[in-house]
Amino acid sequence: MKRALIIQGGWEGHEPLLTSQRFANMLREEGDWEVQIEDNLTYLEKEEHLNAIDLLIMCWTMGKITEEQRDNVSKFVGKGMGLAGAHGGMCDAFREDTQWQFMTGGQWVSHPGGDGVDYTVQIHHGSSPIVSGLMDFSVSSEQYYLHIDPAIEVLASTRFPHPDVPYYHLSNKSIDMPVAWTKFWGNGRIFYQSLGHQDRVFEESPVAHQLMKQGLLWAGESKKEAESLQLTTERFENDAKMY
């Protein structure tokens, strides 16, 4: 059995209790996953605990993370533990921590128009198995604008600016904003999806639900792959001051 740890909490407006249960069910229905849900960041301080985890799923919007907690996540993802999350639960967590943003691949900065914006998500078919069988879809929710790492592999995107949402960014050229992506951190796989302001988004948009599930499963194979290839972290280690 593979093991997943879901850390839920932070701002309650993102319904972390509901989304964490949904993500747990996505894994449990596969039949080969044990899932533990916790509501305290102190679980990130236990190295022996993280060492036994195949996948860490974050459902924690805003808040603060300690240097020890963040360094442990960074180290164990670097070794091969998968990391995944959605919406503000991962890429609007710990706004003051730049290393968290470097590791996860992006940071939320705005959602022009607020909740209830109708927009289309375009799937990028290519090398990733995560988007296999998925097609473009429409959602009615927050449309996330993020500052992103150019190294990510974009799996889905949406067009900005929205023609029906006035705001100061309208002065700029139109761009494709990533909605879902993958990234590597050392030997670890990272998956993120910006949808999921509330749990209902996954009910109303089945493709968003399936995209999340396939992303979790992909990230969850990270540790197994690192072990099968006998990968180490030697080439990544550096004692210089990074942050």
Side-chain angles (χ1 to χ4, degrees), residues 61-122:
T61 302
M62 295 184 280
K64 293 183 182 294
I65 191 170
T66 68
E67 184 175 337
E68 177 188 14
Q69 292 164 352
R70 176 253 287 151
D71 284 349
N72 279 345
V73 175
S74 175
K75 178 170 68 175
F76 282 95
V77 174
K79 288 181 177 181
M81 179 182 72
L83 175 64
H87 201 64
M90 189 166 87
C91 285
D92 190 24
F94 324 127
R95 293 179 180 178
E96 299 174 2
D97 197 296
T98 56
Q99 185 174 357
W100 184 266
Q101 296 166 21
F102 189 17
M103 177 173 59
T104 57
Q107 171 62 39
W108 168 85
V109 293
S110 184
H111 40 69
D115 196 9
V117 175
D118 297 322
Y119 62 98
T120 300
V121 176
Q122 294 87 28

Side-chain angles (χ1 to χ4, degrees), residues 16-28:
L17 289 172
L18 293 177
T19 54
S20 60
Q21 284 292 341
R22 177 177 294 274
F23 300 158
N25 291 338
M26 288 178 179
L27 296 177
R28 286 170 178 154

Side-chain angles (χ1 to χ4, degrees), residues 164-221:
D164 299 325
V165 179
Y167 202 54
Y168 297 104
H169 67 307
L170 286 171
S171 301
N172 301 296
K173 65 181 180 181
S174 296
I175 56 96
D176 292 314
M177 175 58 58
V179 170
W181 66 71
T182 57
K183 182 182 176 179
F184 293 91
W185 187 258
N187 299 320
R189 298 178 178 185
I190 295 173
F191 170 78
Y192 173 74
Q193 178 178 214
S194 69
L195 300 171
H197 172 57
Q198 292 179 327
D199 184 66
R200 66 167 180 81
V201 174
F202 296 109
E203 286 293 329
E204 297 170 356
S205 303
V207 180
H209 175 100
Q210 189 63 24
L211 175 60
M212 191 69 204
K213 179 177 180 178
Q214 292 177 188
L216 294 179
L217 294 174
W218 177 84
E221 292 296 322

Side-chain angles (χ1 to χ4, degrees), residues 50-69:
L50 292 178
N51 194 47
I53 297 299
D54 294 277
L55 176 62
L56 174 63
I57 303 172
M58 293 300 298
C59 296
W60 194 290
T61 302
M62 295 184 280
K64 293 183 182 294
I65 191 170
T66 68
E67 184 175 337
E68 177 188 14
Q69 292 164 352

